[in-house]
Amino acid sequence: MHQLFGFQVTIDQTATKNWYAAACEWSCECLHCRNLLYLARQRALPAPILKILDALSIPPEKATYVSELYPVKTGHCYQFSYRIAGSILSGDEHISVMQDWGSARCCHEPYPYGAPDFPEPYFDLEFDVILPRYSHRTPDALDESH
């Protein structure tokens, strides 16, 4: 049994690691998703998120759901998730737990495209985080060479 932001969960680390080892990066090419992917590749996500992803062998750029919720003066508020093999034992899936860097919750993301072949049972670790804009230029400016 593990604790994730006040949720008690079980985690099948082997199944999670194996799925992500074969998975592709989030594939949306829109500017907002490319911005988040660039920041994920640079490991510019909040340290507590990276710590959990590293412990589960999940590359940050392999989110199973990404959405830009709204712009803010300093960047964008993103919602993004990572699917995890296991089960939620306790905690309210409808309530995000506030952190000084954003919020997190364990839930069951209904978006079907991010991980359709994921082993069951599973749950999603979802984050709402304000992240900076990497560039105001075209999406091509967001490649790893810049």
Side-chain angles (χ1 to χ4, degrees), residues 81-134:
S81 302
Y82 298 90
R83 190 149 286 175
I84 298 172
S87 300
I88 300 171
L89 301 177
S90 69
D92 187 341
E93 292 187 43
H94 303 292
I95 298 176
S96 293
V97 178
M98 298 305 297
Q99 304 291 312
D100 60 355
W101 46 262
S103 66
R105 71 181 178 138
C106 294
C107 62
H108 290 92
E109 172 60 55
Y111 187 73
Y113 304 112
D117 59 345
F118 205 88
E120 294 187 18
Y122 62 79
F123 64 94
D124 298 285
L125 182 55
E126 182 178 271
F127 301 101
D128 288 5
V129 180
I130 293 175
L131 296 172
R133 277 181 211 95
Y134 170 68

Side-chain angles (χ1 to χ4, degrees), residues 26-83:
W26 181 254
S27 62
C28 179
E29 292 292 323
C30 79
L31 181 60
H32 298 299
C33 285
R34 289 189 61 149
N35 186 68
L36 182 124
L37 286 175
Y38 175 82
L39 296 169
R41 286 184 205 115
Q42 301 303 310
R43 300 187 56 83
L45 302 179
I49 295 174
L50 294 173
K51 182 177 178 181
I52 291 168
L53 297 179
D54 290 348
L56 295 173
S57 300
I58 300 174
E61 63 274 11
K62 292 187 178 183
T64 53
Y65 174 77
V66 175
S67 179
E68 186 262 354
L69 299 178
Y70 52 86
V72 295
K73 211 171 222 183
T74 59
H76 301 275
C77 182
Y78 284 95
Q79 184 175 80
F80 53 99
S81 302
Y82 298 90
R83 190 149 286 175

